[in-house]
């Protein structure tokens, strides 16, 4: 089993040839710090709207090195922290428009990937959340009722038989599903976006660590980039910037990927529509069926590191690997004994108010 080395996704795709670092001080219209999804999508839409802008992206390692190239491959419509906090601050109509915008974003990513020729193994199978005992079933039903109060969510509640017919999770008591989610290959999307924005004229400088962001300046050991606008797209690595150590919470998550499963195993599991799979346990899991017929399954391994420290190489403790393997085998007994090809971890950025 490979442990770490950034992620299974990058090992499968192959590490990109590293782009040159920042050659020295320069001036730009927009400087984006961080070449993950946030930074790359920002560059894409800015360049499409105003092709004449000089846009510079600074990245400490390589584009997609962080959470964008390590995640579970869910392109979904979730509103972090829930809609209710936005109802309290902005009203129900605004929260409903927010949800509609999140739904539309899933289709927009799919549209851009197709238009720009990015093959990211995208299948829009929806999001499937299963319950496996009585307390989980109660939470599932309550969650489904709450979601169905919003016309924009399109959530369906499934019986145990209906759930098992779609994804045969052993012991499932029910499930809920909505259509606004797609499976993706995270590294393929990140690499594809980086290539597209570069072709549009965006400058990406890798191996360039930004140590501080001040008004109109991004400071690095290789020089200072001055810009009319500096976009901080550092997500889970924000804690490493001077003065921002406590601004965002770096939360770690871990995954494993199996070897490709035999057709007989898939026959027992189903999962033909490639839904993303989650559950109603408090220590939740998330999974996908990959394009090459593996299962990639994740959860919170060691979620917080003392002093807001962040993971680097993706190495995952043996206990976390065993726990994820246990969930996999419990859900799908036919996977017992299947080889785990890769384990990895990564850090994501969480607002401390979850908004």
């Amino acid at each position: 089993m490979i442990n770490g080395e950034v992620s299974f996704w990058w090992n499968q795709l192959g590490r990109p040839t590293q782009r040159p670092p920042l050659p020295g001080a320069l001036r730009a219209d927009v400087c984006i710090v961080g070449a993950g999804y946030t930074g790359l999508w920002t560059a894409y839409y800015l360049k499409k709207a105003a092709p004449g802008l000089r846009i510079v992206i600074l990245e400490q390692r390589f584009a997609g090195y962080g959470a964008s190239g390590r995640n579970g491959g869910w392109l979904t419509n979730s509103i972090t922290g829930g809609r209710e906090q936005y109802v309290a601050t902005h009203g129900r109509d605004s929260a409903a428009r927010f949800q509609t915008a999140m739904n539309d974003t899933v289709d927009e990513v799919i549209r851009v990937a197709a238009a720009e020729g990015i093959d990211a193994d995208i299948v829009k199978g929806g999001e499937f959340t299963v319950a496996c005992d009585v307390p989980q079933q109660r939470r599932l039903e309550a969650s489904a009722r709450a979601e169905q109060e919003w016309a924009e969510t399109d959530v369906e509640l499934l019986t145990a038989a209906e759930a098992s017919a779609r994804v045969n999770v052993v012991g499932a008591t029910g499930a809920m599903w909505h259509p606004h989610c797609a499976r993706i290959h995270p590294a393929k999307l990140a690499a594809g976006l980086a290539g597209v924005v570069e072709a549009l004229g965006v400058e990406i400088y890798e191996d360039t660590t930004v140590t501080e962001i001040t008004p109109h300046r991004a400071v690095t050991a290789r020089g200072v980039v001055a810009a009319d606008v500096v976009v901080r797209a550092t997500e889970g690595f924000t804690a490493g910037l001077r003065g921002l150590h406590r601004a965002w919470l770096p939360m770690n998550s871990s995954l494993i990927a199996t070897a490709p499963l035999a057709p007989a195993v898939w026959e027992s599991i189903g999962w033909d529509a490639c839904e993303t799979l989650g559950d109603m346990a408090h220590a939740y899991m998330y999974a996908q069926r990959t394009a090459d017929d593996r299962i990639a399954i994740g959860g919170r391994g060691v979620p917080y590191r003392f002093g807001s420290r962040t993971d680097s190489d993706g190495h995952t403790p043996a206990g976390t690997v065993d726990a994820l393997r246990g969930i996999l085998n419990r859900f799908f007994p036919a996977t017992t004994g299947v080889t785990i090809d890769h384990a990895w971890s990564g850090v994501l950025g969480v607002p401390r108010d979850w908004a």
Side-chain angles (χ1 to χ4, degrees):
M1 180 187 75
I2 298 172
N3 194 329
E5 297 186 17
V6 184
S7 73
F8 162 77
W9 310 115
W10 278 116
N11 271 45
Q12 187 180 56
L13 182 61
R15 294 279 193 94
T17 301
Q18 193 159 58
R19 296 172 175 87
L22 181 71
L26 56 79
R27 183 78 172 75
D29 297 305
V30 179
C31 176
I32 299 171
V33 182
Y37 292 149
T38 303
L40 294 170
W41 282 116
T42 300
Y44 178 81
Y45 286 106
L46 282 175
K47 201 67 173 172
K48 286 288 189 178
L53 287 177
R54 185 181 187 186
I55 302 173
V56 168
I57 301 178
L58 305 178
E59 166 56 42
Q60 66 173 337
R61 293 289 293 274
F62 59 84
Y65 167 77
S68 300
R70 306 193 200 194
N71 64 82
W74 287 38
L75 169 59
T76 192
N77 70 341
S78 298
I79 294 177
T80 300
R83 285 177 302 272
E84 287 67 27
Q85 61 182 318
Y86 301 105
V87 174
T89 56
H90 291 78
R92 188 176 175 92
D93 288 347
S94 292
R97 290 197 298 274
F98 188 2
Q99 185 63 73
T100 298
M102 293 298 289
N103 297 350
D104 292 344
T105 295
V106 175
D107 292 327
E108 173 66 359
V109 172
I110 295 170
R111 181 195 69 79
V112 172
E116 301 292 355
I118 300 171
D119 179 4
D121 297 342
I122 300 174
V123 178
K124 190 181 180 186
E127 182 176 330
F128 183 91
T129 305
V130 68
C132 293
D133 57 33
V134 172
Q136 289 185 27
Q137 182 65 26
R138 291 195 188 111
R139 291 196 293 272
L140 177 81
E141 292 172 4
S143 179
R145 285 195 299 270
E147 291 293 292
Q148 288 171 341
E149 290 179 3
W150 296 80
E152 300 79 14
T153 60
D154 302 310
V155 163
E156 299 177 15
L157 185 62
L158 307 176
T159 66
E162 290 169 336
S164 296
R166 299 183 72 150
V167 185
N168 187 21
V169 175
V170 170
T173 57
M176 63 180 177
W177 175 88
H178 71 79
H180 306 291
C181 188
R183 177 207 72 190
I184 65 168
H185 187 297
K188 288 184 179 181
L189 181 58
L193 275 174
V196 167
V197 300
E198 216 168 24
L200 291 173
V202 174
E203 301 165 49
I204 302 176
Y205 297 108
E206 297 181 335
D207 191 26
T208 302
T209 300
V210 173
T211 56
E212 185 178 16
I213 296 173
T214 62
H216 309 294
R217 297 168 76 246
V219 180
T220 86
R222 300 182 182 280
V224 173
V225 176
D228 297 333
V229 174
V230 178
V231 176
R232 190 185 81 210
T234 47
E235 301 292 329
F237 295 97
T238 302
L241 292 168
R242 187 170 295 130
L244 295 173
H245 185 63
R246 302 290 290 173
W248 281 57
L249 176 69
M251 189 172 79
N252 295 275
S253 197
S254 302
L255 292 100
I256 58 174
T258 69
L261 304 183
V265 175
W266 283 116
E267 188 174 343
S268 72
I269 293 173
W271 211 345
D272 297 329
C274 296
E275 301 94 335
T276 59
L277 173 64
D279 74 353
M280 294 301 296
H282 290 305
Y284 69 89
M285 52 74 68
Y286 51 92
Q288 67 150 279
R289 176 178 180 171
T290 69
D292 61 345
D293 286 337
R294 305 170 189 263
I295 294 177
I297 182 169
R300 292 183 187 176
V302 182
Y304 311 110
R305 296 173 187 267
F306 182 77
S308 294
R309 290 199 301 268
T310 56
D311 169 79
S312 55
D313 70 351
H315 187 272
T316 302
T320 299
V321 175
D322 290 342
L324 291 172
R325 186 199 298 268
I327 296 171
L328 172 70
N329 297 160
R330 174 165 53 83
F331 273 34
F332 307 117
T335 64
T336 301
V338 166
T339 300
I340 303 301
D341 274 356
H342 204 128
W344 72 102
S345 299
V347 64
L348 56 147
V350 177
R352 289 183 180 270
D353 62 356
W354 290 87

